[in-house]
């Protein structure tokens, strides 16, 4: 967790806008920033455990895998969460309330699966994956990071009484789900960026950046349709002689 907080501070408050902008940047973040650095730390930690007799030599691979997955999950979950949720990402109260309802449903289903279904809860835990996709596609990076945090919290409820290998499987599932959610958020961000670009090109003049004629007519129709009875509007028409010469030049 300390490494994740430090990394979030180094990446900066606005780093999520860079890492989740497109698929390539998201893959680079997940692999280069979050998955590769813990390999070294896991190797050093496992070697120290073997040297002090805390880990039997026959189980070094399980210890290394558990150590690496724990560090990698901390980076995958905590770092994007801090980058995305400071400051609060929602611009409207409606979006915040909608996210809160979906997240509450996600948490409720997770608690039921992990605490009230006994041994079957360990098998049904993987059915929570659709919530990750739902939150990621609906809310982008905030939804993906919050879904990963909820899954990580639920894993602690399954870790009691479970062997280290099963715990590693759950941790790997959380990491894989987090990466999938981040990729979906990146696809959504890219789609929104392309859609905004298309809308801008359709409504603006490419030379001046001002509204074009179609956008002007649409705005006039909107004002005429929605204006109150006592309201009035004015249209200024400015005609410049030989302005086409300036355009051509």
């Amino acid at each position: 967790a300390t490494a994740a907080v430090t990394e979030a501070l180094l990446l900066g408050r606005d780093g999520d806008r860079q890492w989740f902008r497109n698929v390539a940047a998201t893959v680079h973040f997940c692999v280069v920033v979050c998955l590769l650095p813990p390999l070294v730390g896991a190797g050093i930690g496992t070697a120290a455990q073997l040297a002090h007799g805390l880990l039997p030599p026959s189980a070094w691979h399980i210890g290394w895998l558990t150590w690496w997955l724990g560090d990698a999950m901390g980076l995958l979950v905590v770092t994007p969460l801090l980058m995305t949720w400071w400051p609060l990402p929602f611009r409207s109260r409606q979006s915040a309330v909608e996210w809160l309802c979906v997240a509450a449903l996600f948490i409720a289903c997770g608690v039921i699966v992990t605490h009230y279904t006994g041994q079957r809860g360990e098998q049904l835990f993987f059915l929570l994956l659709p919530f990750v996709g739902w939150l990621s596609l609906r809310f982008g990076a905030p939804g993906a990071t919050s879904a990963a945090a909820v899954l990580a919290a639920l894993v602690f409820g399954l870790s009691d009484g479970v062997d280290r290998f099963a715990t590693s499987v759950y941790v790997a599932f959380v990491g894989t789900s987090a990466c999938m959610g981040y990729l979906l958020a990146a696809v959504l961000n890219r789609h929104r960026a392309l859609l905004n670009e298309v809308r801008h090109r359709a409504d603006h003049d490419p030379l001046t950046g001002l509204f074009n004629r179609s956008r002007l007519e649409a705005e006039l129709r909107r004002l005429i349709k929605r204006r109150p009875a006592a309201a009035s509007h004015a249209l200024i028409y400015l005609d410049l002689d030989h302005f086409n010469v300036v355009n051509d030049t």
Side-chain angles (χ1 to χ4, degrees):
T2 304
V5 173
T6 304
E7 184 179 6
L9 295 176
L10 292 176
L11 291 175
R13 188 179 64 179
D14 298 330
D16 63 297
R17 292 177 174 84
Q18 299 293 334
W19 297 116
F20 300 133
R21 178 175 297 177
N22 52 57
V23 174
T26 304
V27 172
H28 180 274
F29 172 78
C30 293
V31 176
V32 178
V33 178
C34 296
L35 297 182
L36 292 183
L39 291 175
V40 179
I44 296 175
T46 304
Q49 287 183 330
L50 290 173
H52 291 81
L54 300 177
L55 185 68
S58 59
W60 71 267
H61 57 288
I62 300 297
W64 177 86
L65 179 63
T66 304
W67 193 302
W68 172 68
L69 286 175
D71 290 348
M73 188 183 71
L75 294 175
L76 279 172
V77 175
V78 179
T79 303
L81 188 69
L82 294 177
M83 292 192 308
T84 305
W85 285 86
W86 182 260
L88 293 178
F90 298 114
R91 299 180 179 179
S92 65
R93 181 179 299 180
Q94 181 179 358
S95 298
V97 171
E98 184 179 355
W99 169 84
L100 185 61
C101 293
V102 178
L105 179 62
F106 183 22
I107 295 173
C109 293
V111 171
I112 292 174
V113 166
T114 55
H115 290 84
Y116 296 101
T117 54
Q119 185 68 21
R120 295 182 179 179
E122 301 177 2
Q123 304 172 359
L124 298 177
F125 177 74
F126 301 100
L127 296 179
L128 299 175
L129 183 61
F131 281 99
V132 179
W134 184 7
L135 285 166
S136 302
L137 290 176
R138 182 63 185 89
F139 303 102
T145 53
S146 58
V150 171
L151 279 182
L154 293 174
V155 164
F156 290 101
L158 291 174
S159 60
D160 296 336
V162 181
D163 56 44
R164 300 185 69 175
F165 179 76
T167 302
S168 300
V169 172
Y170 293 132
V171 173
F173 172 73
V174 173
T176 304
S177 301
C179 292
M180 184 204 71
Y182 301 156
L183 289 175
L184 291 177
V187 171
L188 180 62
N189 289 338
R190 183 59 178 169
H191 172 73
R192 289 175 176 175
L194 292 176
L195 185 60
N196 292 333
E197 183 179 356
V198 171
R199 289 176 177 173
H200 185 273
R201 291 184 178 182
D203 294 339
H204 293 75
D205 179 74
L207 179 63
T208 62
L210 302 175
F211 287 153
N212 56 20
R213 178 167 184 151
S214 62
R215 178 60 181 270
L216 172 64
E217 294 177 350
E219 289 294 322
L220 290 176
R221 286 193 296 267
R222 183 183 65 84
L223 292 175
I224 294 174
K225 182 179 180 180
R226 297 185 179 181
R227 69 182 182 89
S232 61
H233 301 287
L235 173 63
I236 300 178
Y237 180 84
L238 183 62
D239 187 15
L240 299 181
D241 294 335
H242 307 296
F243 191 75
N244 61 326
V245 178
V246 179
N247 276 335
D248 295 338
T249 303

